[in-house]
Amino acid sequence: MGQSPKPQMNEPLAMWVPSSSMASEINATGFDDANLPGLRLPKNLRATADAAEAAAGADLLILVVARENMAEVVEQLKGKVKSTATAVVMSKILMPDPLSKEKGDKGSGLHFGSEFVSQALGIPAAVLMGGTLAADVARGYFAEATLGCKDPKVSEVLLELFNKPNFSVSSLPSPTAVELFAVLKAIIAVGAGFCDGLELGHNSKAAVIRLGAVELAKFARRFYPEEASKEALTEACGITDIIASSYGDSRTRRCAEAFAREPQKGWDQVAREKLRSGEPAGIAVLRTCAAFVRSHRAESDFPFLARVDEISASRAAPASLTEMAIPRVRASKALKVAVLGSGNWGCAIAKIIARNALRRTEFQKDVAMWVHEETVEGRKLTDIINEEHENVKYLPGVELPHNLHAESEVTTCVRDAHILVFVLPHQFLPGLLKSIKGAVLADAVGVSLVKGYLEIDRQTGSLTTGTQLIEAELGIPCAVLNGANVATDVAHDHFAEATLGCTSDQSQVLWNLLNTPQFSVRTTPDILGVELFGGLKNVVALAAGFSDGLGFPPNTKAAILRRGLQEMARLIKELYPSSSPDTLLESCGLADLLTTSYSGRNRLCAEAFAVASGTKSWEDIEKELLQGQKLQGPSTCADVWAMIEKRGLENKFPLFTAIQRAVTKEITPEGVFKCIGLVSAT
């Protein structure tokens, strides 16, 4: 639908609709049951099937038109709009390029809706796009969008028109940058829908979304270098829209999920069953972009796009979706390995390590795993693991490799080990290091998989991370592995990926130890960035849980995740200016935040905290829901708050500040969203 607000806002606003019968029904009843069932439209809205009538005398044309109707509507408007008018395109579509045959196969690029409108009508076109699932916006739930407008004066007017307490709009000076990310995110939503249809789990879905986001940024840099703003990717038109479309009830994701379940039906039948109208615009975007990339012979540079297109066109099976993850590092070196920790995550990673040790000649076959001894049904847990090859308490139902040996004495476990893999709850790390100090080889290397360890000096606000503590206590270098890694999914061999932060001399051997076809490891030298993202995400996950507990829709949750991701990156940069901004788009950043915020224990407990409305403590919730596992979020939140408060940075980190106040019950969980403007404070 398209609207044309006029200067006198008390006059009726004309709204174009596709048919006269629809216009008559809307004007008679005040409802548009075809698109927004059950929601009464404003009384000053008048529907018409004549686009020229809707636009007559309008200074501002707002086009929210389906791809299949856009050409017809624009044709009706030619020569009938004011030469001084401005268009605002909200349709996330690609249009056929009418000059493509004259330009040859490559053309001049993709033909976005705003360009199509501007060229056809001879007026400037701005765009407004973001995480804006229509039904949720119409019901007044919080959402956010990005305005792309070249003219600063027009931008100011449009911000005043659109910006409302429950509809937050920011602006960028490049319409193409906003539209580029908002339109092409549909390809990621297709991949996310395939994950849902295949029931791949949260790790895989987060990995696929992250791979798509990285490739989208690469696409922008290659084909639209003047518009390839990272700022646009991290605005509502980028990250928020990607998350909302990939996790919410978007048409594209919904149809892709159905297609993955029953690909033999084809897109036409899926669309008839799932939608009121034709196939979702996202499928047309996918096909257009894939053809565009093929015309530039660049398929090998965009494996995510190529694979999603192959599946969509039935040239590949949906189950092949995760096969495009290609590692970057190859390595080899003979070493003995010890895994320190045997919870669900410890056993999951030990399973990977033990399998790799069997396959690769550079590692000793037997892998030692330190187990905090306890009795399970009258038997020692170490005996159960060594005899039955299963951790019946922390990872039941998963067979562990026979070359993985459980050891109750930690000093015996680390003796002569060249690689020490630390994977235990963060609160136990200092005590463990003291117990093995002096028993570790001088040339050993550590790898920390400890999530959320932050030691804060409350007097100075200084920070010590887990890797820094390991290096200081043991005198050995330490790498870090973080990512979208829900332990049970990894243990059951569902596809997942992780980020390994390490120095160049460590990267080869550690990659060989940890990488598998189903556990894709990427390396980066940004050790502290990888580690801090892994800890800070637990704070944002609390806000995600609050959102779920309060019943907020995908738009709102996507907005808070984007803002949380921004504050995570901002705090890391504040603490370590040399950290890489690219780490945000690695598995330890975006993907891990998604997995944790949709499936992790911190999200689960925060949801229960919000539902309980302050009647339960965090300790009670932990006991009820985690079955002996530890909740990291509240303690990490307190540590983060100490750093922020000591540095006087409260105003720079409004979300972290609000979450801390909710965790300590200074405000309610709903107050978090009020403090940062995601719900009305009135």
Side-chain angles (χ1 to χ4, degrees), residues 40-277:
R40 180 176 291 279
L41 299 174
K43 293 181 179 180
N44 65 331
L45 206 61
R46 180 178 58 82
T48 175
D50 186 337
E53 178 187 350
D59 296 299
L60 184 62
L61 305 177
I62 303 176
L63 290 107
V64 197
V65 181
R67 180 179 183 271
E68 57 267 25
N69 298 125
M70 181 64 85
E72 174 192 353
V73 170
V74 170
E75 188 64 31
Q76 292 182 32
L77 294 177
K78 283 183 178 179
K80 298 177 182 178
V81 300
K82 295 173 67 172
S83 61
T84 57
T86 296
V88 180
V89 176
M90 298 174 66
S91 304
K92 302 172 184 178
I93 59 175
L94 292 175
M95 298 296 293
D97 186 346
L99 302 178
S100 59
K101 292 183 180 179
E102 300 175 18
K103 299 169 183 173
D105 289 340
K106 292 186 179 181
S108 61
L110 302 175
H111 213 51
F112 293 102
S114 64
E115 178 190 8
F116 180 82
V117 170
S118 181
Q119 289 182 355
L121 301 183
I123 60 175
V127 298
L128 183 74
M129 298 179 177
T132 51
L133 297 178
D136 293 336
V137 173
R139 287 177 170 82
Y141 290 113
F142 180 85
E144 59 180 9
T146 309
L147 173 71
C149 182
K150 293 181 180 179
D151 190 321
K153 293 183 179 179
V154 175
S155 179
E156 185 178 345
V157 172
L158 293 177
L159 285 174
E160 184 177 355
L161 175 66
F162 288 114
N163 219 343
K164 303 298 176 187
N166 278 3
F167 193 73
S168 176
V169 181
S170 58
S171 65
L172 292 175
S174 172
T176 303
V178 172
E179 199 165 11
L180 175 70
F181 287 106
V183 172
L184 270 61
K185 68 89 185 42
I187 300 168
I188 301 174
V190 175
F194 288 162
C195 285
D196 293 335
L198 295 167
E199 299 181 355
L200 293 180
H202 290 284
N203 287 344
S204 298
K205 185 171 180 178
V208 164
I209 293 170
R210 189 202 69 81
L211 285 167
V214 170
E215 203 160 286
L216 175 53
K218 182 180 179 181
F219 186 101
R221 288 195 303 270
R222 174 159 180 175
F223 297 115
Y224 294 86
E226 71 282 2
E227 310 291 354
S229 165
K230 284 189 177 180
E231 185 180 9
L233 178 59
T234 56
E235 284 294 328
C237 60
I239 293 295
T240 304
D241 201 3
I242 290 170
I243 296 173
S245 299
S246 298
Y247 285 95
D249 191 31
S250 68
R251 293 158 54 95
T252 296
R253 189 212 59 79
R254 193 190 326 157
C255 286
E257 177 182 3
F259 180 86
R261 293 184 189 279
E262 300 178 280
Q264 72 279 3
K265 286 185 174 180
W267 289 105
D268 289 342
Q269 183 176 348
V270 165
R272 285 196 300 272
E273 293 176 356
K274 295 296 179 182
L275 306 178
R276 296 185 179 91
S277 55

Side-chain angles (χ1 to χ4, degrees), residues 340 410-417 420 422 430-444 469-476:
L340 303 176
V410 68
T411 53
T412 302
C413 184
V414 302
R415 186 178 299 131
D416 299 325
L420 307 178
F422 297 89
L432 172 72
L433 295 177
K434 287 181 171 56
S435 68
I436 64 175
K437 194 172 184 177
V440 175
L441 291 176
D443 60 348
L469 181 67
I470 292 168
E471 291 180 343
E473 289 290 327
L474 302 182
I476 63 174

Side-chain angles (χ1 to χ4, degrees), residues 331-650:
S332 64
K333 189 177 179 182
L335 297 169
K336 176 186 174 181
V337 185
V339 179
L340 303 176
S342 59
N344 61 351
W345 182 217
C347 286
I349 202 68
K351 178 181 176 182
I352 289 173
I353 290 171
R355 282 178 172 177
N356 280 343
L358 278 179
R359 291 190 301 106
R360 305 191 67 94
T361 58
E362 63 264 39
F363 296 112
Q364 293 187 20
K365 302 302 181 187
D366 291 333
V367 174
M369 179 174 70
W370 172 65
V371 177
H372 180 71
E373 191 68 276
E374 52 188 304
T375 302
V376 179
E377 296 183 355
R379 297 175 63 192
K380 292 181 178 180
L381 183 56
T382 52
D383 290 341
I384 296 174
I385 293 173
N386 290 330
E387 295 168 10
E388 300 180 13
H389 309 292
E390 178 185 358
N391 188 331
V392 295
K393 181 168 184 179
Y394 296 110
L395 198 63
V398 174
E399 183 180 1
L400 299 175
H402 289 209
N403 63 319
L404 182 65
H405 180 75
E407 176 58 63
S408 61
E409 292 294 331
V410 68
T411 53
T412 302
C413 184
V414 302
R415 186 178 299 131
D416 299 325
H418 299 88
I419 300 178
L420 307 178
V421 181
F422 297 89
V423 53
L424 67 161
H426 66 88
Q427 60 268 38
F428 301 131
L429 180 61
L432 172 72
L433 295 177
K434 287 181 171 56
S435 68
I436 64 175
K437 194 172 184 177
V440 175
L441 291 176
D443 60 348
V445 172
V447 186
S448 174
L449 280 74
V450 179
K451 297 179 182 291
Y453 185 89
L454 301 173
E455 182 181 333
I456 306 300
D457 185 325
R458 298 301 172 91
Q459 298 298 316
T460 64
S462 62
L463 165 71
T464 301
T465 68
T467 59
Q468 290 172 331
L469 181 67
I470 292 168
E471 291 180 343
E473 289 290 327
L474 302 182
I476 63 174
C478 189
V480 61
L481 186 83
N482 268 323
N485 311 137
V486 174
T488 52
D489 289 345
V490 172
H492 286 94
D493 295 323
H494 294 305
F495 177 79
E497 58 177 10
T499 311
L500 176 65
C502 60
T503 59
S504 59
D505 59 331
Q506 299 169 356
S507 62
Q508 294 185 344
V509 64
L510 296 181
W511 184 87
N512 267 358
L513 180 68
L514 297 164
N515 184 75
T516 73
Q518 291 302 108
F519 190 70
S520 178
V521 176
R522 290 167 53 89
T523 63
T524 172
D526 186 15
I527 297 174
L528 292 174
V530 172
E531 188 168 22
L532 287 173
F533 270 115
L536 296 178
K537 62 97 174 14
N538 291 327
V539 179
V540 182
L542 296 176
F546 294 159
S547 179
D548 292 339
L550 295 168
F552 291 151
N555 287 345
T556 303
K557 186 170 180 178
I560 205 159
L561 294 186
R562 183 189 71 85
R563 296 185 182 196
L565 193 66
Q566 284 186 320
E567 289 201 11
M568 289 162 65
R570 193 181 305 142
L571 182 57
I572 292 171
K573 200 69 176 177
E574 189 81 34
L575 296 170
Y576 298 102
S578 62
S579 63
S580 171
D582 294 335
T583 307
L584 178 145
L585 286 179
E586 291 293 340
S587 181
C588 62
L590 174 60
D592 197 8
L593 178 63
L594 292 178
T595 293
T596 303
S597 299
Y598 282 92
S599 67
R601 69 184 74 163
N602 293 288
R603 186 218 63 80
L604 176 68
C605 290
E607 179 182 19
F609 185 83
V611 170
S613 301
T615 61
K616 291 183 178 180
S617 69
W618 289 106
E619 291 77 11
D620 291 338
I621 291 172
E622 180 185 76
K623 290 177 183 177
E624 290 177 11
L625 299 180
L626 299 189
Q627 299 178 340
Q629 292 182 317
K630 295 299 180 181
L631 177 64
Q632 308 104 322
S635 61
T636 303
C637 192
D639 289 334
V640 170
W641 170 246
M643 290 187 290
I644 291 173
E645 184 182 34
K646 191 66 180 179
R647 289 169 170 79
L649 300 174
E650 294 92 330

